[in-house]
Amino acid sequence: MAQLTELTKDQSYAIADNLAQASNLVLELRIREREALTPDERALLEQYEDHLDQMVALFRAYGIYLTAAGAEQARGDIEGAIAKGKLQLKRIADIKAAIVAAARLVDLGAAILSRDPFAIGEAAASLRAKPKKDVPG
């Protein structure tokens, strides 16, 4: 029993091209020998030509199907990459916010050590301020 293998897009198009060439050869034979052929032989050659043309259409359609499946896979990969990128941007924004908060705490500590009431007030106010949103969600 023969083992079935799945064709690639390129193989499918190559088969379709070969079948189209065979169909053209049958057409050329039918035209060139039209006087020598009987009506039954001409009809039979025309049926072969039609059958080959149908096979060309099927193999080309299969190649198009494989191309679309590849595009769908690529779209899924891109969407996954975008999601990972958004997650990384969120992590970066969170780290940036933590660094800003730590810097404000250092400012407050320095103001307390300096015993400057105005500096302490400014540092405390900056701690209460809401962080700016840099990254769109």
Side-chain angles (χ1 to χ4, degrees):
M1 183 170 181
Q3 183 177 353
L4 297 177
T5 58
E6 189 171 324
L7 294 175
T8 66
K9 171 186 66 163
D10 293 335
Q11 290 170 331
S12 180
Y13 285 129
I15 291 170
D17 290 343
N18 288 334
L19 290 170
Q21 290 173 4
S23 176
N24 285 338
L25 290 173
V26 171
L27 174 63
E28 287 176 19
L29 175 67
R30 203 165 46 87
I31 292 171
R32 186 178 59 242
E33 300 294 325
R34 70 180 170 269
E35 299 299 324
L37 295 172
T38 66
D40 288 342
E41 290 172 330
R42 284 194 303 263
L44 187 59
L45 284 175
E46 190 173 350
Q47 286 177 357
Y48 289 150
E49 185 185 339
D50 289 344
H51 181 69
L52 288 169
D53 289 342
Q54 289 173 354
M55 296 302 292
V56 167
L58 288 174
F59 277 99
R60 284 191 179 147
Y62 185 66
I64 291 168
Y65 166 77
L66 292 176
T67 300
E72 182 64 27
Q73 176 64 40
R75 185 186 64 78
D77 292 347
I78 289 170
E79 286 177 353
I82 289 170
K84 285 180 183 178
K86 285 182 178 180
L87 183 60
Q88 283 300 102
L89 288 174
K90 172 136 178 38
R91 287 180 183 159
I92 290 169
D94 291 347
I95 290 169
K96 183 179 174 185
I99 291 171
V100 168
R104 289 176 178 171
L105 283 173
V106 169
D107 288 346
L108 179 61
I112 291 171
L113 288 175
S114 72
R115 295 188 176 155
D116 179 1
F118 182 72
I120 293 171
E122 281 186 351
S126 74
L127 272 175
R128 285 188 229 109
K130 293 189 178 204
K132 297 177 186 174
K133 296 277 184 178
D134 290 339
V135 179

